[in-house]
Amino acid sequence: MASRDVEKLDLSFSGVPDKPKKDWVIVSLRILAFLATASATLVMALNKQNKHFVVATIGTTPITVSITAKFQHTPAFIFFVIANGVASLHSLVMIGVDILGPQFDYKGLKPVLIPILDMMSLVLASAGDGAATFMSELGRNGNSHARWDKICDKFESYCNRGGAALIASFIAIILLLVITVMSIHKLKPKK
């Protein structure tokens, strides 16, 4: 009888369940995506330039007008800031879920929900980039058919900072695309 009890003890303590491994590759990609979207958001949100133009001269006194270029003047840039802000918030939340995720399983919804949210974040950031890229191109080159003049020859640093925000956001889109593909690949059943 004693030998059976020993066997039961050996069988019951034969193994400790392994903790699920954290996927540090996807966590590091999410950190990079967060940094890229947050920097794009901040650069565009703080983008502003004042310029003084002489509109007339009375005698020897020039009459000047101060014109300010801000991202708030263009709805596409406002959408760009909001879309990248939401994408950076999503990346930040998903970093927390990836790090603290093994503690909370949400009854099996987490593996399915994360790729869907990743794809929504990718689409939102992509839409914001598309709108802002169109307006940036219009500001850089104008449209002679609609008689819209270009403004980047007058507000050069404003346009350069906007271009830097677009480059950061396009890098974030590439990172979000890789993250989405990796999240979807995790759904594949293991053989």
Side-chain angles (χ1 to χ4, degrees):
M1 274 201 134
S3 65
R4 277 192 234 158
D5 291 335
V6 172
E7 286 179 29
K8 286 183 182 178
L9 283 175
D10 289 340
L11 291 175
S12 64
F13 292 110
S14 64
V16 177
D18 293 336
K19 289 183 179 178
K21 280 178 41 178
K22 289 184 179 69
D23 192 1
W24 291 108
V25 173
I26 201 163
V27 171
S28 61
L29 286 173
R30 286 190 193 280
I31 290 170
L32 290 174
F34 168 73
L35 293 173
T37 54
S39 64
T41 302
L42 289 174
V43 168
M44 186 64 85
L46 299 175
N47 196 6
K48 177 180 172 182
Q49 182 180 0
N50 291 326
K51 199 82 170 199
H52 300 286
F53 295 103
V54 176
V55 292
T57 305
I58 298 177
T60 59
T61 307
I63 298 175
T64 61
V65 172
S66 178
I67 298 177
T68 303
K70 296 193 271 189
F71 88 97
Q72 293 100 330
H73 294 159
T74 308
F77 292 156
I78 294 171
F79 178 58
F80 175 83
V81 169
I82 292 170
N84 277 291
V86 169
S88 64
L89 180 66
H90 166 76
S91 293
L92 193 62
V93 168
M94 288 298 123
I95 290 167
V97 167
D98 282 342
I99 291 173
L100 301 174
Q103 297 174 357
F104 308 105
D105 188 21
Y106 307 116
K107 298 180 182 174
L109 285 177
K110 188 178 87 168
V112 176
L113 196 60
I114 288 177
I116 292 170
L117 292 174
D118 286 341
M119 192 169 296
M120 289 173 61
S121 176
L122 171 67
V123 168
L124 184 64
S126 178
D129 284 357
T133 302
F134 170 75
M135 290 308 294
S136 295
E137 196 279 327
L138 189 61
R140 175 116 12 232
N141 299 323
N143 187 340
S144 61
H145 301 293
R147 296 180 192 249
W148 290 337
D149 294 332
K150 54 186 175 180
I151 64 160
C152 285
D153 57 343
K154 297 167 188 68
F155 296 99
E156 191 170 334
S157 63
Y158 172 78
C159 290
N160 291 339
R161 285 189 296 267
L166 281 170
I167 289 170
S169 188
F170 279 121
I171 291 169
I173 283 181
I174 292 169
L175 291 169
L176 288 170
L177 181 63
V178 171
I179 290 168
T180 302
V181 169
M182 289 176 74
S183 295
I184 292 171
H185 183 68
K186 282 184 176 181
L187 291 176
K188 184 179 171 185
K190 295 179 175 120
K191 294 180 181 181

Short mmCIF file of all heavy atoms in Angstrom, two decimals, residues 49-55 63-68 154-155:
data_model
loop_
_atom_site.label_atom_id
_atom_site.label_comp_id
_atom_site.label_asym_id
_atom_site.label_seq_id
_atom_site.Cartn_x
_atom_site.Cartn_y
_atom_site.Cartn_z
N GLN A 49 3.55 77.38 -38.38
CA GLN A 49 4.54 78.35 -38.86
C GLN A 49 3.84 79.68 -39.12
O GLN A 49 2.79 79.73 -39.74
CB GLN A 49 5.22 77.86 -40.13
CG GLN A 49 6.28 78.80 -40.63
CD GLN A 49 6.95 78.31 -41.91
OE1 GLN A 49 6.63 77.26 -42.44
NE2 GLN A 49 7.89 79.10 -42.40
N ASN A 50 4.45 80.76 -38.63
CA ASN A 50 3.97 82.11 -38.88
C ASN A 50 4.83 82.75 -39.96
O ASN A 50 6.03 82.57 -39.99
CB ASN A 50 4.05 82.97 -37.61
CG ASN A 50 3.07 82.52 -36.57
OD1 ASN A 50 1.99 82.08 -36.87
ND2 ASN A 50 3.47 82.62 -35.31
N LYS A 51 4.18 83.52 -40.82
CA LYS A 51 4.90 84.20 -41.89
C LYS A 51 4.29 85.59 -42.04
O LYS A 51 3.08 85.77 -41.97
CB LYS A 51 4.74 83.39 -43.18
CG LYS A 51 5.73 83.68 -44.22
CD LYS A 51 6.99 82.92 -43.96
CE LYS A 51 7.84 83.06 -45.20
NZ LYS A 51 8.85 82.15 -45.37
N HIS A 52 5.15 86.59 -42.24
CA HIS A 52 4.69 87.97 -42.45
C HIS A 52 4.88 88.32 -43.91
O HIS A 52 5.96 88.15 -44.47
CB HIS A 52 5.49 88.94 -41.57
CG HIS A 52 5.35 88.66 -40.10
ND1 HIS A 52 4.21 88.96 -39.40
CD2 HIS A 52 6.19 88.07 -39.21
CE1 HIS A 52 4.35 88.59 -38.14
NE2 HIS A 52 5.56 88.04 -38.00
N PHE A 53 3.81 88.83 -44.52
CA PHE A 53 3.84 89.21 -45.92
C PHE A 53 3.54 90.70 -46.05
O PHE A 53 2.67 91.23 -45.36
CB PHE A 53 2.80 88.42 -46.74
CG PHE A 53 3.07 86.95 -46.79
CD1 PHE A 53 2.34 86.07 -46.00
CD2 PHE A 53 4.04 86.44 -47.62
CE1 PHE A 53 2.57 84.72 -46.04
CE2 PHE A 53 4.29 85.07 -47.67
CZ PHE A 53 3.56 84.22 -46.89
N VAL A 54 4.23 91.35 -46.96
CA VAL A 54 3.95 92.76 -47.27
C VAL A 54 2.87 92.77 -48.33
O VAL A 54 3.04 92.22 -49.42
CB VAL A 54 5.23 93.48 -47.77
CG1 VAL A 54 4.90 94.90 -48.17
CG2 VAL A 54 6.32 93.44 -46.72
N VAL A 55 1.73 93.39 -48.00
CA VAL A 55 0.61 93.42 -48.93
C VAL A 55 0.50 94.76 -49.65
O VAL A 55 -0.07 94.84 -50.74
CB VAL A 55 -0.72 93.08 -48.23
CG1 VAL A 55 -0.72 91.63 -47.81
CG2 VAL A 55 -1.00 93.98 -47.07
N ILE A 63 2.85 97.71 -45.28
CA ILE A 63 1.73 97.13 -44.54
C ILE A 63 1.88 95.61 -44.64
O ILE A 63 1.87 95.05 -45.74
CB ILE A 63 0.38 97.59 -45.09
CG1 ILE A 63 0.27 99.11 -44.95
CG2 ILE A 63 -0.76 96.87 -44.39
CD1 ILE A 63 -0.96 99.69 -45.55
N THR A 64 2.05 95.01 -43.48
CA THR A 64 2.27 93.55 -43.45
C THR A 64 1.07 92.82 -42.87
O THR A 64 0.31 93.38 -42.07
CB THR A 64 3.52 93.19 -42.62
OG1 THR A 64 3.32 93.63 -41.29
CG2 THR A 64 4.76 93.83 -43.21
N VAL A 65 0.94 91.58 -43.29
CA VAL A 65 -0.11 90.69 -42.80
C VAL A 65 0.59 89.44 -42.28
O VAL A 65 1.47 88.89 -42.94
CB VAL A 65 -1.11 90.32 -43.91
CG1 VAL A 65 -2.07 89.25 -43.44
CG2 VAL A 65 -1.85 91.54 -44.38
N SER A 66 0.20 89.03 -41.11
CA SER A 66 0.75 87.80 -40.54
C SER A 66 -0.20 86.65 -40.83
O SER A 66 -1.39 86.70 -40.50
CB SER A 66 0.92 87.97 -39.02
OG SER A 66 1.40 86.78 -38.47
N ILE A 67 0.33 85.61 -41.46
CA ILE A 67 -0.47 84.43 -41.80
C ILE A 67 0.15 83.23 -41.09
O ILE A 67 1.37 83.06 -41.09
CB ILE A 67 -0.51 84.20 -43.33
CG1 ILE A 67 -1.17 85.40 -44.01
CG2 ILE A 67 -1.26 82.92 -43.66
CD1 ILE A 67 -1.20 85.32 -45.51
N THR A 68 -0.70 82.43 -40.50
CA THR A 68 -0.25 81.25 -39.77
C THR A 68 -0.73 79.99 -40.48
O THR A 68 -1.91 79.89 -40.84
CB THR A 68 -0.79 81.26 -38.33
OG1 THR A 68 -0.36 82.46 -37.69
CG2 THR A 68 -0.28 80.08 -37.54
N LYS A 154 5.93 79.01 -49.69
CA LYS A 154 5.83 80.09 -48.71
C LYS A 154 6.01 79.59 -47.27
O LYS A 154 6.53 80.30 -46.43
CB LYS A 154 4.48 80.78 -48.85
CG LYS A 154 4.28 81.45 -50.20
CD LYS A 154 2.84 81.83 -50.41
CE LYS A 154 2.58 82.33 -51.81
NZ LYS A 154 2.71 81.31 -52.83
N PHE A 155 5.56 78.38 -46.99
CA PHE A 155 5.65 77.78 -45.65
C PHE A 155 6.49 76.50 -45.74
O PHE A 155 5.98 75.40 -45.54
CB PHE A 155 4.25 77.47 -45.11
CG PHE A 155 3.40 78.67 -44.89
CD1 PHE A 155 2.44 79.05 -45.82
CD2 PHE A 155 3.55 79.43 -43.75
CE1 PHE A 155 1.66 80.16 -45.61
CE2 PHE A 155 2.77 80.54 -43.54
CZ PHE A 155 1.82 80.91 -44.48
#
